[in-house]
Amino acid sequence: MLLAGTTGAVAAQGVVSPQACIAPSTFVELTGDVAGLSRDAAGKTVAALGSYERISPDGRFVLRSYSGAQLGNVSVMELPAFAGTVVRGYRTPLSNEAFPVQGSWRYLVDMTGEHYRLADVLQQQGKARPLFRGGMTGFYAAAAELPGSRPGEIRIRSFSWPNAGGDDETQGQGALSTRTITVDVQQQRVTADTGTQYLCRDRVRVDGSMYALPMISVDGREYAAMPQMPVQGKATMRVFGFGEDGKGCELRDAFAHASGKTVFGFPGKAGQGGDLAYEYRGQIWWYSRALKQAFNLAPPASRAGERLMASAFPGITRDGRVIYASTLRQCDAAGGNCSDRVGYTIADPYQSASMRSWRQQHAARASSLPQCVTRQDVLREREAFAQMHWLTP
């Protein structure tokens, strides 16, 4: 029905065993033909990478803001299954910092609260029309899908803070707030709305009242945020649980190290919270909830003078890959004559150099971890996601 050009890339990989591990790290270049060209800070011409990417559960699509003149404010980029270049870019009617409803990507949400069906955006691009309006609005919001209480019904829990129009000193921080709407997915209408609810007021004496970098988990049951002026402890990322009533602030984890905006992976089969990933100083880190430890996912340079730099926070797919926008800088041995290529890096955290080193030192604990993400894992998720959204795999 849609996007049939992708199938050739998948089929070309079919000669490899489905049980084989994917590559530890793959750079998928974004070309000017797909994204258009722009000038970087040094005045060099490169493909327009954009910023603020969100990764679909199967790793096939990237919703990105600030997409450049060729694709407009917000675009959807389509990635190949395993290797190659970005397949295609899609225009959207969305405003910068639009966000998906995580978990399913059933809807893409504009900053105005208007919800668009993903398939409509891919098929109709800029002509797609919203289905309904509701939930959190404004800068830096995020959302996740939860089950409803009856068939044909879902809940969408959105999360942010209430001061999106703050001044230069307070923009990007404030009291945490959430809002949950109930949606009839047959009629495409909101049937219930909790209104804005404020979180973590009972932690003011510990964390203070101001947080930044809020992010909701893909299942809508947890969230992460960083207190700006904590009364106790350091200003590092916290992970909280919403609780059964959706209004809780249950501390579940706290980083001992500095980090950027933190995104969630999918929960484990045993019910434990999803692993986390974030960007810090141009590199991507993966945090294992089971091990309570962070691992640097930077790949070893394939040649002298090469460096991979992440541009923003990453995404984690349902099968466990970490995908992020990046710039691959290649220079000569003396560090001169540099050229940049932009695109997206697909990393398997279980095969990262830092994880391999940890496995050697902790063989007994490492036995409980997956060895890698397999090609079969990737294809299974792409097929399931395509079926849900009526797309060609």
Side-chain angles (χ1 to χ4, degrees):
M1 175 177 175
L2 182 65
L3 317 177
T6 311
T7 56
V10 176
Q13 304 289 340
V15 296
V16 182
S17 169
Q19 284 74 40
C21 296
I22 65 169
S25 182
T26 300
F27 179 75
V28 176
E29 186 172 3
L30 176 61
T31 63
D33 291 343
V34 171
L37 300 174
S38 63
R39 292 189 180 276
D40 63 15
K44 295 182 179 180
T45 301
V46 295
L49 183 58
S51 59
Y52 300 116
E53 296 82 10
R54 306 300 300 276
I55 310 299
S56 67
D58 65 339
R60 180 176 174 182
F61 298 107
V62 180
L63 177 69
R64 66 171 197 167
S65 292
Y66 304 98
S67 288
Q70 179 163 310
L71 290 172
N73 289 335
V74 177
S75 63
V76 175
M77 314 306 292
E78 184 182 356
L79 305 186
F82 300 107
T85 60
V86 174
V87 176
R88 183 178 173 184
Y90 301 82
R91 288 179 170 272
T92 79
L94 304 170
S95 306
N96 283 324
E97 305 206 34
F99 52 95
V101 176
Q102 296 180 117
S104 67
W105 271 49
R106 188 188 303 267
Y107 303 110
L108 305 181
V109 189
D110 210 343
M111 289 178 63
T112 58
E114 293 180 320
H115 287 60
Y116 294 75
R117 185 186 286 113
L118 172 63
D120 291 347
V121 171
L122 295 176
Q123 290 176 318
Q124 303 169 27
Q125 300 195 55
K127 296 180 180 180
R129 294 291 179 263
L131 301 173
F132 60 89
R133 183 174 181 176
M136 194 74 72
T137 61
F139 169 80
Y140 237 63
E145 180 176 316
L146 295 91
S149 59
R150 63 186 69 181
E153 178 184 277
I154 64 168
R155 289 176 295 153
I156 298 175
R157 178 172 289 161
S158 51
F159 175 64
S160 187
W161 6 242
N163 69 331
D167 59 26
D168 289 343
E169 292 187 0
T170 62
Q171 180 80 42
Q173 59 187 27
L176 299 174
S177 58
T178 186
R179 186 172 184 172
T180 303
I181 58 175
T182 302
V183 177
D184 181 330
V185 297
Q186 302 299 322
Q187 300 293 323
Q188 301 296 341
R189 63 186 183 93
V190 177
T191 59
D193 187 341
T194 64
T196 301
Q197 300 171 310
Y198 296 95
L199 305 171
C200 297
R201 287 177 167 173
D202 58 345
R203 289 188 60 85
V204 171
R205 61 184 178 273
V206 177
D207 286 344
S209 60
M210 301 287 280
Y211 291 84
L213 306 179
M215 177 55 74
I216 192 170
S217 66
V218 295
D219 63 352
R221 301 188 182 279
E222 294 185 303
Y223 56 99
M226 183 184 295
Q228 294 302 283
M229 295 174 287
V231 179
Q232 301 177 25
K234 299 185 295 184
T236 57
M237 192 63 66
R238 313 282 199 263
V239 177
F240 302 101
F242 278 107
E244 291 301 319
D245 63 358
K247 297 182 288 186
C249 187
E250 305 167 358
L251 182 64
R252 296 185 177 176
D253 210 339
F255 286 3
H257 54 275
S259 70
K261 188 179 182 73
T262 299
V263 301
F264 289 79
F266 284 78
K269 294 180 180 179
Q272 72 270 25
D275 293 327
L276 306 166
Y278 56 87
E279 181 271 338
Y280 182 64
R281 294 185 176 179
Q283 295 185 335
I284 297 298
W285 295 73
W286 175 75
Y287 180 82
S288 167
R289 300 286 290 278
L291 302 177
K292 303 288 186 182
Q293 184 168 337
F295 297 87
N296 191 332
L297 299 189
S302 61
R303 68 186 196 189
E306 181 176 278
R307 182 187 178 196
L308 185 71
M309 298 167 287
S311 69
F313 57 87
I316 306 179
T317 61
R318 192 183 296 271
D319 51 57
R321 290 168 294 156
V322 177
I323 301 178
Y324 56 97
S326 51
T327 299
L328 183 63
R329 170 157 291 184
Q330 295 173 321
C331 307
D332 61 26
N337 298 316
C338 299
S339 63
D340 289 340
R341 298 161 57 200
V342 301
Y344 303 95
T345 296
I346 304 171
D348 180 354
Y350 300 110
Q351 297 186 76
S352 64
S354 58
M355 174 55 79
R356 288 199 302 269
S357 176
W358 183 88
R359 287 182 192 272
Q360 292 174 357
Q361 300 173 37
H362 304 86
R365 295 180 68 193
S367 62
S368 63
L369 297 174
Q371 289 298 312
C372 66
V373 176
T374 68
R375 298 170 67 85
Q376 187 175 50
D377 295 333
V378 174
L379 293 176
R380 182 188 301 116
E381 293 304 331
R382 284 174 69 98
E383 181 177 358
F385 189 80
Q387 289 180 354
M388 177 183 179
H389 294 279
W390 310 292
L391 308 176
T392 301

